[in-house]
Amino acid sequence: MTKKFRIVSTALAAIALALTATLSGCASAPAEPSVTATDVWIRAIPDLDEQTMTGLFGNFTNNTDTEIKILGGTIDASIADEILDAHEVVMDDAGEMVMQEAVGGIPIPANGQVELKMGGYHVMLWNLKAPLEVGQKVKVILNFSDGSSLPIEAVVRSTETEGEHYHESEGEHHHGTPTPATSMSN
Amino acid sequence: MSTPRLARATLVAFDLTGGPTRESMGRMLQVVSDDTTRLMAGEPTLTDTAAYTVDPAIPVVISWGLGHGFLTKLGLAAQAPPGFGPVPLAGDQAFCDGDILLHVESQSALLVSHAVRQITRTMEPFGAVRWTQHGFVDSAPDSLRTGRNLFGQIDGTANPRTPEDFDDQVWMSDGPRWSRGGTQIVVRRIEMNLPTWDSISEAEKEKSIGRRLSDGAPLTGRVESDPMDLDAKDAAGRLMIPLNAHARRATSQGTVQKFLRRPFNYDDVAPGGLSSHGMMFLAYTTNIAERFSPVLARLTAVDALNKWTTPVGSATFVIPPAWPAGSFLAQELIEG
Ligand code: HEM
Ligand SMILES: [Cu+2]
């Protein structure tokens, strides 16, 4: 009995946490924001000599009756390049997983959800200025096609490290430029 | 801890790597707390690599301990609760000590394995696995019945039962704030020599403990719950529970030397393909030095069971209390 109760209360605690996170993200807006987010995390980059870019992942819910797209966002320039891009990983004709701009943004269906996850949709952070270590909290603002934006605190988490790097191809340019030659394997 | 043992348990001890600081440990404690909360709710972790494995219908219980090494490496030795410290063991140190303890239990071996694997990945930037131990019991999840160990004995009879017993013997109520409401655990790995045990008679087996194999009743009583009569003699005038019987030697002298025993059996493959049998002996107490160590010292000196048992590992940890929502494991210690 005790055990069951403990588990239920942990679940409730987790829900309460998620709610606080969402609410604190929009302290000034009285109405529910058009998009809410949970479980937002950024892949750790402990060593800038290995790579300087990473992705943001999480669950996004569209609280409106029309499709909304995640266009990208901004981050404090002391952490990375200020502009964040909406990206996706797709398999090219050669069977390689490649990362490219999500043209027009990442769609969140009306009254639906989208999950940004490894090997799929993500929001790209470029040119990190300092390592991102597991457990660190990072503030970002995401922008949506309905003109709204959402401040989010993402937690830095590590993933399977070996063979799972984002590789930037030579001479690549980002920020709105499709980057089909940038590959990510996992 | 006060919950009955679940069928499967894995304990993993980690050593901190890379010069831990309060800042890095704060980050570590937050991410492992997040993994723990999710897995105990039957949800995948944030970075789960096998997310569909979780099952909200099958409980997974996860607890954490902080070792002497954790406190000293962070300059927090003064924050150790009263009576906490290592219980040293000579010889091979492969199953000794550790800075952090992860303890996962479930009725499902798959879910134990899954939780340990995901949390170990989360721990990777902060610590390296020092040792891992797996154990099992046959107890049903909602029963308080005492299970049997590999010697075939009913084990766990003289244990705290009531909430008052637990408050007295198990949960710390004083000492540093961060540890109040928590407990101290001793993890002893004890090899059991089954071939030699199997070669003796039932009568000798019963005398070595002082209790009957069939139902766990004391050799001087009728049912398991009867108290031992340590003075009773048989018709020939011999003590019915001999002076070296395990239960006689182990029983509390006075009211203090009591604690919770929550052992798990192990049946592993030893090098060379032989089997290695024994007990992952887990003791929970408010104060290792006052409650546990005197009993261990008595048993080490004289105990009939010593003929068939050999301790091969020893580690101690402080288990902080469960953390409230919005907080994390040992937050008061690391931010205090
Ligand atoms: C492989 C090793 C061991 C085996 C097989 C074993 C087995 C048992 C059994 C069958 C009993 C009687 C039933 C019960 O009360 O649970 C018992 C009692 C007990 N054992 Fe052990 N035990 C082992 C190691 C230890 C160790 C290392 C300690 C502590 C340092 C310990 C402390 C106790 C205590 C305190 C009792 C209860 C005594 C009483 O008040 O009646 N045991 N053990
Ligand atoms: Cu990308």
Side-chain angles (χ1 to χ4, degrees):
Chain A
M1 272 333 282
T2 353
K3 189 179 66 244
K4 283 192 184 120
F5 173 73
R6 250 171 68 204
I7 285 161
V8 169
S9 59
T10 326
L12 288 176
I15 291 165
L17 261 179
L19 284 176
T20 354
T22 324
L23 291 175
S24 62
C26 59
S28 54
E32 189 185 30
S34 51
V35 176
T36 42
T38 56
D39 295 350
V40 182
W41 61 282
I42 295 175
R43 201 172 66 102
I45 303 290
D47 184 358
L48 291 185
D49 288 341
E50 279 184 19
Q51 58 183 312
T52 58
M53 52 181 168
T54 187
L56 174 145
F57 310 92
N59 287 315
F60 292 82
T61 302
N62 181 347
N63 302 311
T64 74
D65 298 330
T66 38
E67 184 188 82
I68 295 178
K69 286 174 170 162
I70 306 172
L71 301 177
T74 53
I75 194 167
D76 192 293
S78 66
I79 300 170
D81 283 357
E82 203 173 333
I83 306 296
L84 309 177
D85 295 335
H87 267 198
E88 63 186 333
V89 173
V90 294
M91 192 178 278
D92 70 8
D93 291 346
E96 290 275 319
M97 300 301 281
V98 294
M99 179 170 91
Q100 63 187 27
E101 187 194 355
V103 182
I106 300 167
I108 322 174
N111 297 304
Q113 284 192 318
V114 68
E115 189 184 357
L116 276 53
K117 58 179 178 184
M118 298 285 296
Y121 287 126
H122 57 274
V123 172
M124 200 69 196
L125 281 67
W126 302 102
N127 285 321
L128 292 174
K129 307 297 190 292
L132 285 181
E133 303 208 74
V134 172
Q136 236 176 289
K137 310 252 171 67
V138 177
K139 292 194 167 92
V140 301
I141 296 172
L142 292 189
N143 301 325
F144 307 106
S145 58
D146 67 344
S148 71
S149 57
L150 184 69
I152 296 174
E153 191 177 72
V155 62
V156 175
R157 296 295 306 255
S158 57
T159 56
E160 219 46 65
T161 42
E162 253 29 79
E164 202 177 22
H165 298 259
Y166 290 71
H167 297 292
E168 196 167 11
S169 67
E170 263 176 59
E172 185 214 341
H173 293 283
H174 51 79
H175 293 171
T177 319
T179 54
T182 305
S183 72
M184 190 189 83
S185 56
N186 55 0
Chain B
M1 259 61 66
S2 48
T3 54
R5 293 165 295 178
L6 301 178
R8 300 290 181 144
T10 295
L11 273 65
V12 184
F14 296 90
D15 280 336
L16 296 175
T17 49
T21 62
R22 281 213 197 180
E23 188 275 332
S24 71
M25 289 300 98
R27 288 189 279 109
M28 177 193 77
L29 292 166
Q30 285 182 62
V31 290
V32 300
S33 296
D34 185 71
D35 281 5
T36 300
T37 304
R38 288 171 194 266
L39 290 166
M40 284 185 61
E43 294 163 14
T45 68
L46 211 47
T47 55
D48 210 307
T49 50
Y52 303 112
T53 301
V54 299
D55 185 346
I58 305 176
V60 173
V61 176
I62 301 171
S63 60
W64 290 89
L66 303 179
H68 182 69
F70 182 96
L71 297 173
T72 52
K73 284 178 187 174
L74 288 157
L76 291 168
Q79 289 292 315
F84 177 74
V87 173
L89 180 71
D92 188 357
Q93 300 293 295
F95 288 108
C96 289
D97 305 331
D99 295 335
I100 296 179
L101 173 73
L102 164 65
H103 176 162
V104 181
E105 268 178 45
S106 175
Q107 292 301 102
S108 156
L110 180 71
L111 291 183
V112 170
S113 167
H114 171 259
V116 167
R117 172 170 153 231
Q118 298 306 327
I119 292 176
T120 302
R121 288 180 49 245
T122 296
M123 280 291 296
E124 222 176 73
F126 306 103
V129 172
R130 179 183 179 85
W131 51 253
T132 301
Q133 302 188 43
H134 305 286
F136 61 91
V137 286
D138 70 345
S139 63
D142 291 322
S143 112
L144 272 172
R145 87 190 146 93
T146 36
R148 285 186 189 268
N149 61 31
L150 296 178
F151 281 162
Q153 302 157 331
I154 289 183
D155 196 349
T157 305
N159 251 340
R161 306 249 159 216
T162 64
E164 293 74 34
D165 289 344
F166 274 87
D167 284 346
D168 176 42
Q169 300 175 28
V170 180
W171 307 122
M172 294 183 280
S173 56
D174 53 11
R177 278 182 53 90
W178 71 276
S179 62
R180 283 184 215 165
T183 183
Q184 303 179 15
I185 187 177
V186 183
V187 181
R188 300 276 287 185
R189 185 175 177 86
I190 305 173
E191 283 279 333
M192 291 159 60
N193 190 330
L194 295 187
T196 56
W197 173 261
D198 289 346
S199 70
I200 64 172
S201 69
E202 183 160 327
E204 192 181 346
K205 288 178 180 172
E206 292 185 332
K207 290 276 183 202
S208 72
I209 286 286
R211 289 181 173 273
R212 279 203 297 267
L213 283 171
S214 57
D215 57 4
L219 295 176
T220 58
R222 279 183 322 107
V223 292
E224 188 187 345
S225 56
D226 281 345
M228 293 186 284
D229 179 351
L230 294 174
D231 300 321
K233 297 192 169 162
D234 63 15
R238 284 184 291 253
L239 281 171
M240 294 180 73
I241 299 177
L243 291 173
N244 66 352
H246 177 74
R248 175 195 285 274
R249 296 290 297 166
T251 200
S252 178
Q253 296 186 356
T255 54
V256 171
Q257 295 168 4
K258 295 181 172 196
F259 46 86
L260 171 68
R261 287 169 293 130
R262 233 170 142 275
F264 287 84
N265 308 302
Y266 68 81
D267 178 350
D268 291 345
V269 180
L274 294 169
S275 60
S276 146
H277 294 102
M279 187 187 269
M280 190 160 85
F281 176 90
L282 309 183
Y284 298 83
T285 170
T286 57
N287 185 311
I288 291 173
E290 275 182 13
R291 293 181 175 275
F292 177 83
S293 298
V295 177
L296 179 67
R298 270 205 306 280
L299 294 175
T300 306
V302 178
D303 176 4
L305 273 193
N306 289 346
K307 207 188 271 183
W308 305 280
T309 60
T310 313
V312 293
S314 184
T316 62
F317 304 89
V318 180
I319 300 183
W323 57 94
S327 172
F328 58 87
L329 172 70
Q331 181 171 13
E332 267 181 297
L333 171 68
I334 213 72
E335 291 179 353

